[in-house]
Amino acid sequence: MPVFYKSLYMNLLPRFDPKLPNETDQRKLISTYSTERELPTIEMTMAKDGVVARVVFKFKHRNYKKIFSKIFLGPQEDVYKVAAKQASRIGLNLERQFNSEWNKNLVELLNKPSKKNSEKLNLELNKNTYGIYDIQRPAALLNQKISASGMSLKEFANLADVNEATLFRHLKDSFEISRDVAIKYAKALGCDPAEILFNDLSVPIWGSTNTLTSSLLKRVVVDHHEITANENLGIIKCPREIYRPDVKAIRIDSPHSHLHNQVAFYYSTNDAKEFEDQVVVVGANVKDRSDGNARPRYYIGVYKKNYNGKTVDLHTIDPELISAEGFVADEDFNTFDDVVNVIEAERIIVQDLDPFFVAPIVSFIDPVKVYSNKRTDVQKDYKEIYTDSRIEEDLNFKNFKEIQKMSYLKQKLEDYLKEIDTDDMETLLVRNQIKTMIEVSSNMQDTIGLAAYGSAKFEKRIKPIKDKNIIKADFTPEELTKLNDKFKEIIEQANELRSIDESNA
């Protein structure tokens, strides 16, 4: 760093604008966050030696009718330390918001094309060594986590069972955080140890879509499910399991839909491969209804091959869009088939496309639910909750396995009945005993279906199950032996009941 910048940033002493009167006591300044919830402004720019940050806190003074701006300027890592302390003095809530806004501004700056070289991102020109994985040091990440927790350093060190001196060295970045210590810190903070050693992998949200209604944007007609670009949508934390350098994100902006605020991730591609029945993002040249001119347009929807076999239709991903309300039964619209046809037509959002790319959605995430504060509390009770969850899963598996076993026995008994000679009065009694047991469970499902839909509608709604859709029971040799023994036992019991009936007769 040049000598001039070194001297300017050495102690990162703030300056006030306008300058505070000499007799003014800074302790009597009142933050505008306390009175009006005004957040500090954070500005970041790329310099030769890295990112330069400028943070401005605004204050009032009881004796003056002016707003005094307290300005911190310098290398982003150094400015963060002093600005975060200032936010902490004002209030814990502000400190948490400051950390969030700081990370957002930093990631957005690094993901922008460089002004000096438009073919590169600022991230590539920054001094980090491994791109997005190396935006923040563990010391800064640990500092932010502790600040968000509201604990003092002494409280945190005791809870993590780490010497205070060691903690201070880690926070000053003069000592590497080991794997074992990261786990200790994570237990105390209620987070994943990786969140202390590595920064979040955040990517920009490049566009949004409304899955329910169309709109008009500056004289341009925007269809529902059409994605429009907007650089002001911010960033989103991308799960590490799906992160790749080519990952892209869009947001669902439909206030009256269950999909509202969901973020969809997909991988950038120039291919137009087929992904039948999958949720995809599609790019295609489509005519605009406002002027009739074709332009590149982007949609999210369920991929369906058009009946002509050459082009593509997209179906809605939002069931709220499909509705049969408002239709009145009359001579032109009075059958169940009419309702089905209307609903199937409403599924189509755009048709006969010739895409220049098709990218399947790899994940939908609701950031509010996934990254909520409750996550921290759950993580702190990690052992107990993890054990309970796995035990519940095991119980569900065992219950379903029992259902499969009963189904196996039922099928085996039905096959046995087909082989019984019904003209033989003795075996007929056995057949009736077994048949009664089978029909008790079989009739119940049919009764529920008929009650819900009626005979005609039941046939229309419930499609026959094909062999390929049957869940195959994976029994071990020991389980099969026990099931076959049980089958023999049932046959023997049925024969015994026949003998009792004959003796009573």
Side-chain angles (χ1 to χ4, degrees):
M1 182 178 290
V3 176
F4 170 75
Y5 281 179
K6 279 188 177 179
S7 62
L8 179 62
Y9 302 148
M10 187 64 69
N11 296 317
L12 287 173
L13 294 175
R15 68 179 180 87
F16 281 90
D17 182 27
K19 187 177 179 180
L20 284 177
N22 294 332
E23 70 279 6
T24 303
D25 185 352
Q26 290 191 30
R27 290 175 296 181
K28 294 184 178 180
L29 293 175
I30 302 172
S31 169
T32 54
Y33 177 80
S34 301
T35 58
E36 302 166 17
R37 287 295 181 265
E38 182 179 10
L39 294 173
T41 58
I42 302 173
E43 297 175 1
M44 295 186 185
T45 56
M46 288 299 301
K48 183 178 180 181
D49 297 303
V51 179
V52 173
R54 182 176 184 270
V55 181
V56 180
F57 293 86
K58 292 185 178 181
F59 296 88
K60 295 178 180 179
H61 195 282
R62 294 171 184 172
N63 301 332
Y64 304 97
K65 294 183 179 181
K66 294 180 181 179
I67 297 293
F68 295 94
S69 296
K70 191 175 185 179
I71 303 170
F72 296 91
L73 175 66
Q76 61 97 2
E77 291 182 359
D78 297 330
V79 168
Y80 171 75
K81 295 176 183 178
V82 291
K85 285 182 181 178
Q86 178 64 70
S88 178
R89 292 191 196 102
I90 296 172
L92 181 59
N93 286 335
L94 175 59
E95 185 178 15
R96 291 171 178 168
Q97 288 179 279
F98 176 80
N99 285 335
S100 176
E101 289 299 310
W102 179 273
N103 293 334
K104 176 183 173 182
N105 276 267
L106 180 59
V107 173
E108 286 181 346
L109 172 67
L110 295 177
N111 276 285
K112 288 181 179 179
S114 169
K115 292 181 179 180
K116 294 182 178 180
N117 185 347
S118 59
E119 294 182 357
K120 290 187 176 183
L121 297 178
N122 287 325
L123 185 66
E124 300 174 67
L125 303 178
N126 198 28
K127 59 184 179 181
N128 56 16
T129 57
Y130 196 23
I132 195 172
Y133 294 96
D134 191 26
I135 291 177
Q136 289 179 295
R137 295 282 300 160
L141 298 172
L142 180 59
N143 198 350
Q144 291 178 14
K145 291 287 185 185
I146 297 173
S147 298
S149 72
M151 289 185 282
S152 68
L153 295 181
K154 185 175 182 179
E155 290 173 334
F156 175 69
N158 290 335
L159 186 60
D161 194 23
V162 172
N163 187 278
E164 279 190 71
T166 301
L167 174 60
F168 286 132
R169 292 190 187 101
H170 288 156
L171 292 173
K172 289 183 178 180
D173 205 13
S174 60
F175 207 73
E176 288 288 340
I177 301 176
S178 68
R179 177 179 179 273
D180 290 341
V181 175
I183 292 174
K184 288 184 177 181
Y185 287 156
K187 284 182 179 179
L189 291 167
C191 68
D192 188 324
E195 296 177 42
I196 293 171
L197 298 175
F198 302 99
N199 56 258
D200 295 331
L201 303 179
S202 299
V203 296
I205 301 176
W206 77 265
S208 64
T209 183
N210 189 319
T211 55
L212 295 180
T213 59
S214 300
S215 59
L216 190 64
L217 181 64
K218 293 182 179 180
R219 298 184 180 180
V220 175
V221 177
V222 178
D223 296 330
H224 58 77
H225 287 73
E226 182 176 356
I227 305 166
T228 56
N230 190 332
E231 64 179 359
N232 298 318
L233 295 174
I235 60 173
I236 178 68
K237 187 192 302 184
C238 180
R240 292 181 182 274
E241 293 79 8
I242 65 173
Y243 177 78
R244 286 182 358 191
D246 59 343
V247 71
K248 289 193 172 186
I250 61 170
R251 190 177 72 195
I252 311 297
D253 188 10
S254 304
H256 300 293
S257 167
H258 73 285
L259 293 171
H260 184 53
N261 280 335
Q262 294 266 354
V263 175
F265 294 92
Y266 67 97
Y267 301 126
S268 179
T269 180
N270 292 322
D271 297 330
K273 296 181 181 178
E274 293 184 16
F275 293 95
E276 190 71 12
D277 297 325
Q278 295 189 42
V279 180
V280 297
V281 170
V282 168
N285 291 311
V286 181
K287 288 184 178 181
D288 193 293
R289 282 181 285 166
S290 58
D291 57 18
N293 295 324
R295 59 180 175 86
R297 299 170 73 174
Y298 307 91
Y299 295 87
I300 184 172
V302 179
Y303 187 105
K304 294 285 186 179
K305 198 72 176 177
N306 188 279
Y307 66 89
N308 61 24
K310 297 179 181 179
T311 57
V312 176
D313 296 343
L314 286 184
H315 286 202
T316 179
I317 63 171
D318 198 332
E320 296 291 335
L321 187 66
I322 303 170
S323 173
E325 291 182 3
F327 291 101
V328 180
D330 55 29
E331 64 275 8
D332 298 320
F333 185 87
N334 54 12
T335 70
F336 181 71
D337 286 340
D338 290 331
V339 178
V340 171
N341 292 335
V342 168
I343 290 177
E344 288 179 351
E346 284 194 347
R347 294 182 193 277
I348 301 174
I349 55 175
V350 62
Q351 56 188 347
D352 205 23
L353 296 176
D354 183 16
F356 50 77
F357 86 81
V358 179
I361 296 295
V362 295
S363 180
F364 278 100
I365 287 179
D366 186 340
V368 175
K369 295 177 181 176
V370 175
Y371 304 123
S372 69
N373 294 331
K374 186 178 179 181
R375 182 171 178 266
T376 299
D377 298 329
V378 172
Q379 282 286 103
K380 287 181 178 179
D381 295 328
Y382 178 87
K383 288 184 179 179
E384 181 182 346
I385 293 175
Y386 185 85
T387 300
D388 289 344
S389 296
R390 300 295 84 80
I391 290 174
E392 183 182 0
E393 290 169 0
D394 185 62
L395 181 61
N396 290 336
F397 169 77
K398 288 178 180 178
N399 288 339
F400 187 66
K401 197 65 175 284
E402 288 302 314
I403 294 172
Q404 287 183 310
K405 289 178 180 179
M406 291 298 295
S407 180
Y408 174 84
L409 279 174
K410 177 182 171 183
Q411 184 63 53
K412 200 168 177 63
L413 290 169
E414 287 176 344
D415 293 342
Y416 175 77
L417 288 179
K418 294 176 183 177
E419 300 174 0
I420 293 181
D421 183 4
T422 56
D423 294 334
D424 184 346
M425 291 299 295
E426 293 183 359
T427 56
L428 183 60
L429 290 171
V430 177
R431 182 183 188 282
N432 289 337
Q433 292 287 349
I434 297 173
K435 187 177 180 182
T436 300
M437 183 192 72
I438 294 173
E439 288 179 347
V440 166
S441 59
S442 298
N443 288 339
M444 188 164 295
Q445 290 183 351
D446 291 345
T447 302
I448 293 171
L450 289 169
Y453 302 112
S455 57
K457 296 180 181 181
F458 180 69
E459 294 170 3
K460 190 79 177 180
R461 289 288 186 95
I462 309 300
K463 297 179 180 178
I465 299 176
K466 299 179 181 179
D467 289 342
K468 68 177 182 179
N469 293 329
I470 295 176
I471 300 175
K472 305 298 182 183
D474 187 16
F475 297 129
T476 64
E478 292 80 8
E479 287 173 331
L480 278 175
T481 299
K482 290 181 179 179
L483 286 170
N484 291 330
D485 289 344
K486 185 67 176 176
F487 166 74
K488 293 175 184 177
E489 181 183 332
I490 292 172
I491 300 301
E492 290 174 1
Q493 289 176 353
N495 282 312
E496 289 177 5
L497 290 171
R498 180 201 67 185
S499 300
I500 293 172
D501 289 341
E502 289 176 347
S503 62
N504 290 335

